[in-house]
Amino acid sequence: METRAHHVLIGLFTVLVAAGGLLFGLWLAKSSSDQQYNYYDVIFTEAVTGLSQGGTVQYSGIKVGDVVSLRLDPRDPRKVLARIRVFDRTPIRQDTRAKLAITGVTGTAIIQLSNGSPDSPPLLAEDGKVPVIQTIPSPLSKLLANGEDIASNINNLITNVNQLFSQENVDRVGRTLDHIDQATAVIAEQRADIRRTVRELADASQQARQTLANANLLLGNANQLLSSQGKDILGNTQQTLAALQRSSEKIERLLDNNYDAVNGGLKGLGDIGPALRELRSTLESLRGVTRRLQENPANYLLGGDRTKEFQP
């Protein structure tokens, strides 16, 4: 009796579920029939590959209707006439535009509506005709139209990649890697020599810096010496030369005025000739000293050759 009662309950439950599903379907059909639609025509001047009757119509990503029919324009077969129906509460305006789009991973084409500013008036029928929604070029159509070119470019790319990774190039890359490995091994073996060379370069650089510092110090001392004493020495030398020049001029005038007397008494005054020669030698030495002071006073005053620059 209990088993028979369980079968009766299961059967009753099944009947109730079937009746509920039937009632739900009828309710959906009634609600669908009660829904009011507005019909529009969308004229495409491009291929509508992937779009079919019953396709979805979306407005800003929300489903607002579906495609009722697709047909070619009898007057211009390059155009496709797509009649759509959208919910009557959908704000279709005169600046609303339609384009093809792909939804989901299956690549199903839909009609995507966009734009429609609030200031634009609604798109209404004129003289009983179905309103026409203008279209904009779809990137999807361009992609499909250029599909052959894209496939050709992909094939060329694959061919070039195969040529790049040919056996000959692979062998060359292998040899290059072997050479790099050998070079790194040699460098690893010479690490001690490299470190020693770097230390020597560092020491040489330090010595060069010290030498340059000493040279700068020497130049500073020379400049200080010249600025403090060089002017006085040059002034005294110039005064001495001026005095000697005046003395020589006086002696020359004296000799010119007393030439006859001097010429007559040369035999008795034989010592005057050596004295004059010694005076002239002294004057030439003083002129040489003056010329060296004018050309290079620092070298002359310091009394030595210029310090040679150190080159590491």
PDB file of all heavy atoms in Angstrom, residues 194-232:
ATOM      1  N   ILE A 194      92.178  41.218 -14.776  1.00  0.00           N
ATOM      2  CA  ILE A 194      91.311  42.385 -14.995  1.00  0.00           C
ATOM      3  C   ILE A 194      91.239  43.239 -13.729  1.00  0.00           C
ATOM      4  O   ILE A 194      91.314  44.474 -13.784  1.00  0.00           O
ATOM      5  CB  ILE A 194      89.912  41.920 -15.440  1.00  0.00           C
ATOM      6  CG1 ILE A 194      89.985  41.270 -16.834  1.00  0.00           C
ATOM      7  CG2 ILE A 194      88.937  43.083 -15.460  1.00  0.00           C
ATOM      8  CD1 ILE A 194      88.692  40.645 -17.284  1.00  0.00           C
ATOM      9  N   ARG A 195      91.117  42.570 -12.558  1.00  0.00           N
ATOM     10  CA  ARG A 195      91.076  43.331 -11.313  1.00  0.00           C
ATOM     11  C   ARG A 195      92.394  44.092 -11.099  1.00  0.00           C
ATOM     12  O   ARG A 195      92.397  45.266 -10.697  1.00  0.00           O
ATOM     13  CB  ARG A 195      90.822  42.393 -10.138  1.00  0.00           C
ATOM     14  CG  ARG A 195      89.434  41.778 -10.096  1.00  0.00           C
ATOM     15  CD  ARG A 195      89.176  41.154  -8.739  1.00  0.00           C
ATOM     16  NE  ARG A 195      87.916  40.431  -8.708  1.00  0.00           N
ATOM     17  CZ  ARG A 195      87.792  39.130  -8.889  1.00  0.00           C
ATOM     18  NH1 ARG A 195      88.869  38.390  -9.101  1.00  0.00           N
ATOM     19  NH2 ARG A 195      86.614  38.544  -8.846  1.00  0.00           N
ATOM     20  N   ARG A 196      93.545  43.424 -11.373  1.00  0.00           N
ATOM     21  CA  ARG A 196      94.836  44.075 -11.203  1.00  0.00           C
ATOM     22  C   ARG A 196      94.969  45.268 -12.145  1.00  0.00           C
ATOM     23  O   ARG A 196      95.472  46.334 -11.750  1.00  0.00           O
ATOM     24  CB  ARG A 196      95.949  43.066 -11.444  1.00  0.00           C
ATOM     25  CG  ARG A 196      97.345  43.646 -11.174  1.00  0.00           C
ATOM     26  CD  ARG A 196      98.410  42.555 -11.140  1.00  0.00           C
ATOM     27  NE  ARG A 196      98.430  41.765 -12.355  1.00  0.00           N
ATOM     28  CZ  ARG A 196      97.927  40.529 -12.468  1.00  0.00           C
ATOM     29  NH1 ARG A 196      97.370  39.942 -11.415  1.00  0.00           N
ATOM     30  NH2 ARG A 196      97.989  39.860 -13.610  1.00  0.00           N
ATOM     31  N   THR A 197      94.531  45.106 -13.372  1.00  0.00           N
ATOM     32  CA  THR A 197      94.601  46.212 -14.337  1.00  0.00           C
ATOM     33  C   THR A 197      93.741  47.385 -13.888  1.00  0.00           C
ATOM     34  O   THR A 197      94.143  48.551 -13.988  1.00  0.00           O
ATOM     35  CB  THR A 197      94.153  45.726 -15.723  1.00  0.00           C
ATOM     36  OG1 THR A 197      94.963  44.629 -16.134  1.00  0.00           O
ATOM     37  CG2 THR A 197      94.245  46.839 -16.746  1.00  0.00           C
ATOM     38  N   VAL A 198      92.563  47.076 -13.372  1.00  0.00           N
ATOM     39  CA  VAL A 198      91.681  48.148 -12.897  1.00  0.00           C
ATOM     40  C   VAL A 198      92.311  48.873 -11.720  1.00  0.00           C
ATOM     41  O   VAL A 198      92.255  50.117 -11.620  1.00  0.00           O
ATOM     42  CB  VAL A 198      90.299  47.556 -12.525  1.00  0.00           C
ATOM     43  CG1 VAL A 198      89.436  48.597 -11.841  1.00  0.00           C
ATOM     44  CG2 VAL A 198      89.587  47.037 -13.772  1.00  0.00           C
ATOM     45  N   ARG A 199      92.955  48.112 -10.793  1.00  0.00           N
ATOM     46  CA  ARG A 199      93.619  48.764  -9.661  1.00  0.00           C
ATOM     47  C   ARG A 199      94.771  49.649 -10.140  1.00  0.00           C
ATOM     48  O   ARG A 199      94.969  50.766  -9.622  1.00  0.00           O
ATOM     49  CB  ARG A 199      94.135  47.706  -8.699  1.00  0.00           C
ATOM     50  CG  ARG A 199      93.046  47.062  -7.842  1.00  0.00           C
ATOM     51  CD  ARG A 199      93.658  46.345  -6.646  1.00  0.00           C
ATOM     52  NE  ARG A 199      94.553  45.273  -7.067  1.00  0.00           N
ATOM     53  CZ  ARG A 199      94.183  44.011  -7.261  1.00  0.00           C
ATOM     54  NH1 ARG A 199      92.904  43.669  -7.089  1.00  0.00           N
ATOM     55  NH2 ARG A 199      95.050  43.086  -7.640  1.00  0.00           N
ATOM     56  N   GLU A 200      95.550  49.151 -11.122  1.00  0.00           N
ATOM     57  CA  GLU A 200      96.648  49.962 -11.643  1.00  0.00           C
ATOM     58  C   GLU A 200      96.122  51.238 -12.304  1.00  0.00           C
ATOM     59  O   GLU A 200      96.722  52.316 -12.159  1.00  0.00           O
ATOM     60  CB  GLU A 200      97.464  49.147 -12.642  1.00  0.00           C
ATOM     61  CG  GLU A 200      98.240  47.996 -11.991  1.00  0.00           C
ATOM     62  CD  GLU A 200      98.966  47.150 -13.020  1.00  0.00           C
ATOM     63  OE1 GLU A 200      98.758  47.402 -14.231  1.00  0.00           O
ATOM     64  OE2 GLU A 200      99.730  46.235 -12.611  1.00  0.00           O
ATOM     65  N   LEU A 201      95.059  51.105 -13.030  1.00  0.00           N
ATOM     66  CA  LEU A 201      94.471  52.308 -13.633  1.00  0.00           C
ATOM     67  C   LEU A 201      94.010  53.279 -12.563  1.00  0.00           C
ATOM     68  O   LEU A 201      94.157  54.504 -12.705  1.00  0.00           O
ATOM     69  CB  LEU A 201      93.306  51.904 -14.533  1.00  0.00           C
ATOM     70  CG  LEU A 201      93.655  51.201 -15.852  1.00  0.00           C
ATOM     71  CD1 LEU A 201      92.390  50.767 -16.575  1.00  0.00           C
ATOM     72  CD2 LEU A 201      94.475  52.119 -16.749  1.00  0.00           C
ATOM     73  N   ALA A 202      93.453  52.749 -11.478  1.00  0.00           N
ATOM     74  CA  ALA A 202      93.009  53.621 -10.394  1.00  0.00           C
ATOM     75  C   ALA A 202      94.190  54.320  -9.745  1.00  0.00           C
ATOM     76  O   ALA A 202      94.137  55.525  -9.443  1.00  0.00           O
ATOM     77  CB  ALA A 202      92.232  52.806  -9.367  1.00  0.00           C
ATOM     78  N   ASP A 203      95.303  53.567  -9.522  1.00  0.00           N
ATOM     79  CA  ASP A 203      96.489  54.188  -8.936  1.00  0.00           C
ATOM     80  C   ASP A 203      97.067  55.258  -9.869  1.00  0.00           C
ATOM     81  O   ASP A 203      97.475  56.342  -9.409  1.00  0.00           O
ATOM     82  CB  ASP A 203      97.547  53.107  -8.664  1.00  0.00           C
ATOM     83  CG  ASP A 203      97.077  52.113  -7.602  1.00  0.00           C
ATOM     84  OD1 ASP A 203      96.161  52.481  -6.817  1.00  0.00           O
ATOM     85  OD2 ASP A 203      97.603  50.977  -7.568  1.00  0.00           O
ATOM     86  N   ALA A 204      97.145  54.924 -11.171  1.00  0.00           N
ATOM     87  CA  ALA A 204      97.663  55.907 -12.128  1.00  0.00           C
ATOM     88  C   ALA A 204      96.794  57.158 -12.148  1.00  0.00           C
ATOM     89  O   ALA A 204      97.299  58.285 -12.229  1.00  0.00           O
ATOM     90  CB  ALA A 204      97.744  55.289 -13.528  1.00  0.00           C
ATOM     91  N   SER A 205      95.502  56.965 -12.054  1.00  0.00           N
ATOM     92  CA  SER A 205      94.603  58.121 -12.025  1.00  0.00           C
ATOM     93  C   SER A 205      94.823  58.956 -10.779  1.00  0.00           C
ATOM     94  O   SER A 205      94.812  60.193 -10.834  1.00  0.00           O
ATOM     95  CB  SER A 205      93.154  57.633 -12.097  1.00  0.00           C
ATOM     96  OG  SER A 205      92.256  58.714 -12.014  1.00  0.00           O
ATOM     97  N   GLN A 206      95.067  58.273  -9.633  1.00  0.00           N
ATOM     98  CA  GLN A 206      95.344  59.009  -8.404  1.00  0.00           C
ATOM     99  C   GLN A 206      96.629  59.799  -8.508  1.00  0.00           C
ATOM    100  O   GLN A 206      96.721  60.972  -8.085  1.00  0.00           O
ATOM    101  CB  GLN A 206      95.404  58.018  -7.225  1.00  0.00           C
ATOM    102  CG  GLN A 206      95.615  58.678  -5.870  1.00  0.00           C
ATOM    103  CD  GLN A 206      94.439  59.548  -5.469  1.00  0.00           C
ATOM    104  OE1 GLN A 206      93.315  59.316  -5.901  1.00  0.00           O
ATOM    105  NE2 GLN A 206      94.707  60.553  -4.651  1.00  0.00           N
ATOM    106  N   GLN A 207      97.678  59.168  -9.063  1.00  0.00           N
ATOM    107  CA  GLN A 207      98.935  59.878  -9.253  1.00  0.00           C
ATOM    108  C   GLN A 207      98.776  61.063 -10.201  1.00  0.00           C
ATOM    109  O   GLN A 207      99.371  62.132  -9.990  1.00  0.00           O
ATOM    110  CB  GLN A 207     100.000  58.921  -9.792  1.00  0.00           C
ATOM    111  CG  GLN A 207     100.401  57.827  -8.799  1.00  0.00           C
ATOM    112  CD  GLN A 207     101.398  56.857  -9.390  1.00  0.00           C
ATOM    113  OE1 GLN A 207     101.800  56.999 -10.538  1.00  0.00           O
ATOM    114  NE2 GLN A 207     101.789  55.848  -8.600  1.00  0.00           N
ATOM    115  N   ALA A 208      97.985  60.876 -11.244  1.00  0.00           N
ATOM    116  CA  ALA A 208      97.758  61.981 -12.181  1.00  0.00           C
ATOM    117  C   ALA A 208      97.061  63.139 -11.478  1.00  0.00           C
ATOM    118  O   ALA A 208      97.391  64.310 -11.693  1.00  0.00           O
ATOM    119  CB  ALA A 208      96.932  61.488 -13.376  1.00  0.00           C
ATOM    120  N   ARG A 209      96.098  62.825 -10.612  1.00  0.00           N
ATOM    121  CA  ARG A 209      95.416  63.892  -9.887  1.00  0.00           C
ATOM    122  C   ARG A 209      96.375  64.622  -8.948  1.00  0.00           C
ATOM    123  O   ARG A 209      96.333  65.851  -8.821  1.00  0.00           O
ATOM    124  CB  ARG A 209      94.245  63.307  -9.099  1.00  0.00           C
ATOM    125  CG  ARG A 209      93.040  62.936  -9.954  1.00  0.00           C
ATOM    126  CD  ARG A 209      91.809  62.730  -9.103  1.00  0.00           C
ATOM    127  NE  ARG A 209      91.962  61.552  -8.244  1.00  0.00           N
ATOM    128  CZ  ARG A 209      91.578  60.332  -8.572  1.00  0.00           C
ATOM    129  NH1 ARG A 209      91.010  60.121  -9.761  1.00  0.00           N
ATOM    130  NH2 ARG A 209      91.732  59.319  -7.761  1.00  0.00           N
ATOM    131  N   GLN A 210      97.286  63.852  -8.261  1.00  0.00           N
ATOM    132  CA  GLN A 210      98.260  64.501  -7.398  1.00  0.00           C
ATOM    133  C   GLN A 210      99.209  65.386  -8.188  1.00  0.00           C
ATOM    134  O   GLN A 210      99.557  66.505  -7.768  1.00  0.00           O
ATOM    135  CB  GLN A 210      99.046  63.432  -6.636  1.00  0.00           C
ATOM    136  CG  GLN A 210      98.204  62.653  -5.618  1.00  0.00           C
ATOM    137  CD  GLN A 210      99.001  61.561  -4.926  1.00  0.00           C
ATOM    138  OE1 GLN A 210     100.178  61.357  -5.241  1.00  0.00           O
ATOM    139  NE2 GLN A 210      98.366  60.864  -3.999  1.00  0.00           N
ATOM    140  N   THR A 211      99.661  64.877  -9.358  1.00  0.00           N
ATOM    141  CA  THR A 211     100.558  65.673 -10.200  1.00  0.00           C
ATOM    142  C   THR A 211      99.890  66.960 -10.666  1.00  0.00           C
ATOM    143  O   THR A 211     100.493  68.042 -10.655  1.00  0.00           O
ATOM    144  CB  THR A 211     101.008  64.842 -11.411  1.00  0.00           C
ATOM    145  OG1 THR A 211     101.636  63.638 -10.954  1.00  0.00           O
ATOM    146  CG2 THR A 211     101.979  65.628 -12.277  1.00  0.00           C
ATOM    147  N   LEU A 212      98.657  66.860 -11.065  1.00  0.00           N
ATOM    148  CA  LEU A 212      97.928  68.057 -11.494  1.00  0.00           C
ATOM    149  C   LEU A 212      97.745  69.024 -10.335  1.00  0.00           C
ATOM    150  O   LEU A 212      97.822  70.249 -10.511  1.00  0.00           O
ATOM    151  CB  LEU A 212      96.558  67.645 -12.067  1.00  0.00           C
ATOM    152  CG  LEU A 212      96.589  66.909 -13.405  1.00  0.00           C
ATOM    153  CD1 LEU A 212      95.184  66.478 -13.806  1.00  0.00           C
ATOM    154  CD2 LEU A 212      97.185  67.792 -14.499  1.00  0.00           C
ATOM    155  N   ALA A 213      97.521  68.480  -9.136  1.00  0.00           N
ATOM    156  CA  ALA A 213      97.389  69.357  -7.973  1.00  0.00           C
ATOM    157  C   ALA A 213      98.696  70.090  -7.693  1.00  0.00           C
ATOM    158  O   ALA A 213      98.704  71.297  -7.391  1.00  0.00           O
ATOM    159  CB  ALA A 213      96.959  68.529  -6.767  1.00  0.00           C
ATOM    160  N   ASN A 214      99.827  69.356  -7.767  1.00  0.00           N
ATOM    161  CA  ASN A 214     101.126  70.005  -7.565  1.00  0.00           C
ATOM    162  C   ASN A 214     101.402  71.062  -8.626  1.00  0.00           C
ATOM    163  O   ASN A 214     101.945  72.140  -8.334  1.00  0.00           O
ATOM    164  CB  ASN A 214     102.238  68.954  -7.575  1.00  0.00           C
ATOM    165  CG  ASN A 214     102.133  67.987  -6.415  1.00  0.00           C
ATOM    166  OD1 ASN A 214     101.605  68.346  -5.351  1.00  0.00           O
ATOM    167  ND2 ASN A 214     102.612  66.763  -6.589  1.00  0.00           N
ATOM    168  N   ALA A 215     101.029  70.732  -9.892  1.00  0.00           N
ATOM    169  CA  ALA A 215     101.235  71.710 -10.967  1.00  0.00           C
ATOM    170  C   ALA A 215     100.395  72.956 -10.731  1.00  0.00           C
ATOM    171  O   ALA A 215     100.850  74.086 -10.930  1.00  0.00           O
ATOM    172  CB  ALA A 215     100.898  71.070 -12.317  1.00  0.00           C
ATOM    173  N   ASN A 216      99.171  72.758 -10.281  1.00  0.00           N
ATOM    174  CA  ASN A 216      98.321  73.916  -9.987  1.00  0.00           C
ATOM    175  C   ASN A 216      98.904  74.753  -8.851  1.00  0.00           C
ATOM    176  O   ASN A 216      98.874  75.992  -8.882  1.00  0.00           O
ATOM    177  CB  ASN A 216      96.916  73.448  -9.622  1.00  0.00           C
ATOM    178  CG  ASN A 216      96.181  72.872 -10.807  1.00  0.00           C
ATOM    179  OD1 ASN A 216      96.416  73.275 -11.947  1.00  0.00           O
ATOM    180  ND2 ASN A 216      95.285  71.911 -10.570  1.00  0.00           N
ATOM    181  N   LEU A 217      99.457  74.058  -7.818  1.00  0.00           N
ATOM    182  CA  LEU A 217     100.070  74.782  -6.710  1.00  0.00           C
ATOM    183  C   LEU A 217     101.285  75.584  -7.174  1.00  0.00           C
ATOM    184  O   LEU A 217     101.498  76.748  -6.784  1.00  0.00           O
ATOM    185  CB  LEU A 217     100.467  73.792  -5.614  1.00  0.00           C
ATOM    186  CG  LEU A 217     101.116  74.370  -4.356  1.00  0.00           C
ATOM    187  CD1 LEU A 217     100.181  75.364  -3.677  1.00  0.00           C
ATOM    188  CD2 LEU A 217     101.505  73.251  -3.397  1.00  0.00           C
ATOM    189  N   LEU A 218     102.115  74.945  -8.031  1.00  0.00           N
ATOM    190  CA  LEU A 218     103.294  75.635  -8.556  1.00  0.00           C
ATOM    191  C   LEU A 218     102.917  76.854  -9.381  1.00  0.00           C
ATOM    192  O   LEU A 218     103.516  77.932  -9.255  1.00  0.00           O
ATOM    193  CB  LEU A 218     104.122  74.657  -9.391  1.00  0.00           C
ATOM    194  CG  LEU A 218     105.404  75.212 -10.030  1.00  0.00           C
ATOM    195  CD1 LEU A 218     106.355  75.713  -8.956  1.00  0.00           C
ATOM    196  CD2 LEU A 218     106.072  74.140 -10.889  1.00  0.00           C
ATOM    197  N   LEU A 219     101.902  76.694 -10.221  1.00  0.00           N
ATOM    198  CA  LEU A 219     101.446  77.837 -11.019  1.00  0.00           C
ATOM    199  C   LEU A 219     100.898  78.941 -10.138  1.00  0.00           C
ATOM    200  O   LEU A 219     101.082  80.136 -10.412  1.00  0.00           O
ATOM    201  CB  LEU A 219     100.386  77.369 -12.018  1.00  0.00           C
ATOM    202  CG  LEU A 219     100.884  76.476 -13.159  1.00  0.00           C
ATOM    203  CD1 LEU A 219      99.721  76.004 -14.008  1.00  0.00           C
ATOM    204  CD2 LEU A 219     101.898  77.220 -14.022  1.00  0.00           C
ATOM    205  N   GLY A 220     100.222  78.534  -9.054  1.00  0.00           N
ATOM    206  CA  GLY A 220      99.714  79.554  -8.140  1.00  0.00           C
ATOM    207  C   GLY A 220     100.832  80.320  -7.470  1.00  0.00           C
ATOM    208  O   GLY A 220     100.778  81.555  -7.338  1.00  0.00           O
ATOM    209  N   ASN A 221     101.882  79.584  -7.041  1.00  0.00           N
ATOM    210  CA  ASN A 221     103.023  80.274  -6.434  1.00  0.00           C
ATOM    211  C   ASN A 221     103.706  81.205  -7.426  1.00  0.00           C
ATOM    212  O   ASN A 221     104.134  82.316  -7.080  1.00  0.00           O
ATOM    213  CB  ASN A 221     104.018  79.246  -5.904  1.00  0.00           C
ATOM    214  CG  ASN A 221     103.432  78.425  -4.762  1.00  0.00           C
ATOM    215  OD1 ASN A 221     102.548  78.902  -4.035  1.00  0.00           O
ATOM    216  ND2 ASN A 221     103.897  77.190  -4.600  1.00  0.00           N
ATOM    217  N   ALA A 222     103.849  80.714  -8.672  1.00  0.00           N
ATOM    218  CA  ALA A 222     104.484  81.559  -9.696  1.00  0.00           C
ATOM    219  C   ALA A 222     103.665  82.813  -9.948  1.00  0.00           C
ATOM    220  O   ALA A 222     104.213  83.924 -10.062  1.00  0.00           O
ATOM    221  CB  ALA A 222     104.668  80.761 -10.986  1.00  0.00           C
ATOM    222  N   ASN A 223     102.349  82.651 -10.037  1.00  0.00           N
ATOM    223  CA  ASN A 223     101.501  83.827 -10.242  1.00  0.00           C
ATOM    224  C   ASN A 223     101.608  84.793  -9.074  1.00  0.00           C
ATOM    225  O   ASN A 223     101.649  86.018  -9.254  1.00  0.00           O
ATOM    226  CB  ASN A 223     100.052  83.386 -10.436  1.00  0.00           C
ATOM    227  CG  ASN A 223      99.848  82.670 -11.748  1.00  0.00           C
ATOM    228  OD1 ASN A 223     100.554  82.940 -12.722  1.00  0.00           O
ATOM    229  ND2 ASN A 223      98.898  81.743 -11.797  1.00  0.00           N
ATOM    230  N   GLN A 224     101.669  84.221  -7.846  1.00  0.00           N
ATOM    231  CA  GLN A 224     101.794  85.076  -6.674  1.00  0.00           C
ATOM    232  C   GLN A 224     103.128  85.816  -6.678  1.00  0.00           C
ATOM    233  O   GLN A 224     103.210  87.002  -6.338  1.00  0.00           O
ATOM    234  CB  GLN A 224     101.657  84.223  -5.408  1.00  0.00           C
ATOM    235  CG  GLN A 224     101.666  85.043  -4.110  1.00  0.00           C
ATOM    236  CD  GLN A 224     101.461  84.161  -2.895  1.00  0.00           C
ATOM    237  OE1 GLN A 224     101.344  82.936  -3.036  1.00  0.00           O
ATOM    238  NE2 GLN A 224     101.415  84.776  -1.725  1.00  0.00           N
ATOM    239  N   LEU A 225     104.217  85.089  -7.044  1.00  0.00           N
ATOM    240  CA  LEU A 225     105.524  85.728  -7.107  1.00  0.00           C
ATOM    241  C   LEU A 225     105.561  86.839  -8.141  1.00  0.00           C
ATOM    242  O   LEU A 225     106.085  87.938  -7.899  1.00  0.00           O
ATOM    243  CB  LEU A 225     106.592  84.672  -7.408  1.00  0.00           C
ATOM    244  CG  LEU A 225     108.032  85.179  -7.542  1.00  0.00           C
ATOM    245  CD1 LEU A 225     108.490  85.801  -6.230  1.00  0.00           C
ATOM    246  CD2 LEU A 225     108.953  84.041  -7.951  1.00  0.00           C
ATOM    247  N   LEU A 226     104.988  86.552  -9.290  1.00  0.00           N
ATOM    248  CA  LEU A 226     104.971  87.573 -10.341  1.00  0.00           C
ATOM    249  C   LEU A 226     104.135  88.774  -9.944  1.00  0.00           C
ATOM    250  O   LEU A 226     104.485  89.916 -10.236  1.00  0.00           O
ATOM    251  CB  LEU A 226     104.454  86.968 -11.645  1.00  0.00           C
ATOM    252  CG  LEU A 226     105.406  85.995 -12.354  1.00  0.00           C
ATOM    253  CD1 LEU A 226     104.717  85.396 -13.567  1.00  0.00           C
ATOM    254  CD2 LEU A 226     106.691  86.693 -12.757  1.00  0.00           C
ATOM    255  N   SER A 227     103.006  88.510  -9.302  1.00  0.00           N
ATOM    256  CA  SER A 227     102.140  89.620  -8.915  1.00  0.00           C
ATOM    257  C   SER A 227     102.745  90.470  -7.805  1.00  0.00           C
ATOM    258  O   SER A 227     102.475  91.668  -7.715  1.00  0.00           O
ATOM    259  CB  SER A 227     100.783  89.079  -8.467  1.00  0.00           C
ATOM    260  OG  SER A 227     100.941  88.231  -7.332  1.00  0.00           O
ATOM    261  N   SER A 228     103.569  89.860  -6.924  1.00  0.00           N
ATOM    262  CA  SER A 228     104.121  90.603  -5.785  1.00  0.00           C
ATOM    263  C   SER A 228     105.479  91.233  -6.097  1.00  0.00           C
ATOM    264  O   SER A 228     105.752  92.382  -5.746  1.00  0.00           O
ATOM    265  CB  SER A 228     104.242  89.684  -4.561  1.00  0.00           C
ATOM    266  OG  SER A 228     105.112  88.589  -4.859  1.00  0.00           O
ATOM    267  N   GLN A 229     106.397  90.471  -6.752  1.00  0.00           N
ATOM    268  CA  GLN A 229     107.755  90.953  -6.963  1.00  0.00           C
ATOM    269  C   GLN A 229     108.104  91.178  -8.430  1.00  0.00           C
ATOM    270  O   GLN A 229     109.078  91.861  -8.731  1.00  0.00           O
ATOM    271  CB  GLN A 229     108.763  89.964  -6.370  1.00  0.00           C
ATOM    272  CG  GLN A 229     108.586  89.749  -4.869  1.00  0.00           C
ATOM    273  CD  GLN A 229     109.571  88.747  -4.309  1.00  0.00           C
ATOM    274  OE1 GLN A 229     110.432  88.267  -5.051  1.00  0.00           O
ATOM    275  NE2 GLN A 229     109.466  88.464  -3.022  1.00  0.00           N
ATOM    276  N   GLY A 230     107.390  90.565  -9.306  1.00  0.00           N
ATOM    277  CA  GLY A 230     107.750  90.678 -10.728  1.00  0.00           C
ATOM    278  C   GLY A 230     107.692  92.098 -11.239  1.00  0.00           C
ATOM    279  O   GLY A 230     108.562  92.548 -11.999  1.00  0.00           O
ATOM    280  N   LYS A 231     106.691  92.856 -10.793  1.00  0.00           N
ATOM    281  CA  LYS A 231     106.563  94.230 -11.267  1.00  0.00           C
ATOM    282  C   LYS A 231     107.732  95.083 -10.781  1.00  0.00           C
ATOM    283  O   LYS A 231     108.274  95.916 -11.535  1.00  0.00           O
ATOM    284  CB  LYS A 231     105.234  94.806 -10.798  1.00  0.00           C
ATOM    285  CG  LYS A 231     104.023  94.128 -11.419  1.00  0.00           C
ATOM    286  CD  LYS A 231     102.743  94.765 -10.925  1.00  0.00           C
ATOM    287  CE  LYS A 231     101.518  94.100 -11.548  1.00  0.00           C
ATOM    288  NZ  LYS A 231     100.242  94.697 -11.052  1.00  0.00           N
ATOM    289  N   ASP A 232     108.130  94.875  -9.522  1.00  0.00           N
ATOM    290  CA  ASP A 232     109.259  95.661  -8.994  1.00  0.00           C
ATOM    291  C   ASP A 232     110.555  95.341  -9.736  1.00  0.00           C
ATOM    292  O   ASP A 232     111.344  96.238 -10.078  1.00  0.00           O
ATOM    293  CB  ASP A 232     109.434  95.364  -7.504  1.00  0.00           C
ATOM    294  CG  ASP A 232     108.210  95.807  -6.693  1.00  0.00           C
ATOM    295  OD1 ASP A 232     107.476  96.689  -7.191  1.00  0.00           O
ATOM    296  OD2 ASP A 232     107.986  95.254  -5.594  1.00  0.00           O
TER     297      ASP A 232
END
